């Protein structure tokens, strides 16, 4: 969301400034997926619209619907663009910093613990990619805890990759390009996809190109992680989103 309502959580009140790049980021990703998914009927696009569908419970219900309706061969892609922040850990799983990462909505927040439950379901042949362009982004949409420093974590559940704009302790920023404001990660992703030779060959190469651009344009550090069964960790070297490699 571009400007969530103030949030009361754990006895604290959080206020958020307006982000001018969110609408442009989401519009680009929507156009992007419409352009690469063929035939078009294979794309199921769920996008919340302000203000009615952007509350935390609405967002969680929408994500749960994607998982519940997924079938073998499906790829679930989640894009979070807006305000990320940290709150006190509620269930004791954050043993290092004792902080949960959270995503602000028009009403309430979505805490990273929700995603741990979301992706825990056993679904044969289903995988997921989560793109998070927020502050404190690393692990926000991929898992419920952040104590493991590895880029690859082997566990059960849906095999999933995350591409995040920043480390858990970092702020993320926006930048102006061609007269428009965009999130640094989202714009770097777009430029890597459209301009960098070889970026479309694999998720690994796409992230490498994206991260290099993020680092050149800001002080934040993009991260990519894989969570899931060991035998499916090779998805990191698969063509991203099923696209054809560049020639």
């Amino acid at each position: 969301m571009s400007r969530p309502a103030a949030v009361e959580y754990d006895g604290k009140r959080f206020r958020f400034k307006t982000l001018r790049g969110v609408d442009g980021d989401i519009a680009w990703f929507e156009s992007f997926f419409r352009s690469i998914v063929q035939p078009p009927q294979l794309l199921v696009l769920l996008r919340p619209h302000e203000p009615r569908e952007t509350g935390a419970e609405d967002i969680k219900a929408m994500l749960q619907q994607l998982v519940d309706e997924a079938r073998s061969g499906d790829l679930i892609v989640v894009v979070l663009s807006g305000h990320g922040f940290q709150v006190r850990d509620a269930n004791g799983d954050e043993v290092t910093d004792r902080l949960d990462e959270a995503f602000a909505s028009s009403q309430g927040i979505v805490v990273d613990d929700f995603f741990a439950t979301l992706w825990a379901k056993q679904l044969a042949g289903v995988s997921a990619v989560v793109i998070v362009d927020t502050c404190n982004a690393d692990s926000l949409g991929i898992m419920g805890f952040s104590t493991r420093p590895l880029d690859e974590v082997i566990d059960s559940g849906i095999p999933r990759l995350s591409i995040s704009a920043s480390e858990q302790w970092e702020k993320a920023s926006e930048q102006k390009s061609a007269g428009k404001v965009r999130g640094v990660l989202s714009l770097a992703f777009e430029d890597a996809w459209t301009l960098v030779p070889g970026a479309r060959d694999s998720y690994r190469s796409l992230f490498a190109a994206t991260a290099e651009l993020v680092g050149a344009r800001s002080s934040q550090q993009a991260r990519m992680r894989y969570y899931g069964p060991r035998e499916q960790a090779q998805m990191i070297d698969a063509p991203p989103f099923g696209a054809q490699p560049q020639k």
Side-chain angles (χ1 to χ4, degrees):
M1 292 197 60
S2 57
R3 187 174 184 180
V7 172
E8 297 278 355
Y9 187 84
D10 193 30
K12 295 183 179 180
R13 185 174 180 82
F14 298 87
R15 295 180 181 274
F16 307 97
K17 68 177 183 179
T18 299
L19 296 175
R20 294 184 293 159
V22 170
D23 291 341
D25 293 344
I26 296 302
W28 183 83
F29 276 110
E30 181 174 343
S31 174
F32 168 69
F33 288 114
R34 290 189 186 279
S35 70
I36 65 171
V37 176
Q38 298 295 330
Q41 58 265 32
L42 294 179
L43 176 67
V44 177
L45 186 65
L46 298 181
R47 178 183 175 183
H49 296 279
E50 294 186 83
R52 183 171 58 89
E53 297 175 336
T54 56
E57 295 307 312
D58 301 300
I59 292 172
K60 289 191 284 187
M62 193 171 295
L63 293 171
Q64 191 64 60
Q65 178 184 346
L66 286 174
V67 172
D68 291 343
E69 296 180 357
R71 299 294 181 265
S72 181
D74 286 351
L75 172 66
I76 300 170
V77 180
V78 177
V79 178
L80 298 176
S81 179
H83 279 287
F85 62 111
Q86 291 181 307
V87 297
R88 187 169 66 90
D89 175 31
N91 62 3
D93 62 352
E94 301 277 3
V95 299
T96 300
D97 61 8
R98 303 192 184 283
L99 294 170
D100 280 325
E101 284 67 54
F103 181 73
S105 77
S106 63
Q107 185 175 3
I109 65 175
V110 182
V111 179
D112 59 1
D113 294 327
F114 164 77
F115 290 95
T117 303
L118 181 74
W119 304 127
K121 191 172 183 179
Q122 303 289 329
L123 290 174
V126 175
S127 56
V129 175
V130 186
I131 301 169
V132 186
D133 197 350
T134 72
C135 296
N136 311 111
D138 186 27
S139 90
L140 172 56
I142 196 73
M143 195 64 177
F145 59 88
S146 55
T147 59
R148 298 169 176 171
L150 302 178
D151 290 332
E152 180 179 299
V153 176
I154 305 303
D155 67 1
S156 59
I158 297 174
R160 52 213 184 270
L161 284 175
S162 71
I163 297 175
S164 302
S166 58
E167 298 276 13
Q168 293 173 1
W169 56 86
E170 286 184 325
K171 299 297 184 182
S173 57
E174 296 183 314
Q175 69 175 121
K176 183 175 288 188
S177 175
K180 297 181 180 180
V181 178
R182 298 283 304 279
V184 168
L185 176 76
S186 296
L187 182 59
F189 184 102
E190 177 183 351
D191 288 346
W193 183 269
T194 56
L195 301 175
V196 178
R200 302 182 194 181
D201 292 348
S202 67
Y203 288 107
R204 188 189 301 275
S205 58
L206 176 59
F207 172 74
T210 299
E212 183 175 355
L213 292 171
V214 168
R217 298 169 177 177
S218 71
S219 60
Q220 66 204 61
Q221 181 177 345
R223 290 296 303 267
M224 181 168 71
R225 294 181 185 268
Y226 168 82
Y227 286 82
R230 186 180 304 277
E231 61 271 16
Q232 291 172 277
Q234 70 270 16
M235 73 176 287
I236 196 171
D237 292 311
F241 315 109
Q244 294 297 316
Q246 290 165 288
K247 297 180 179 180

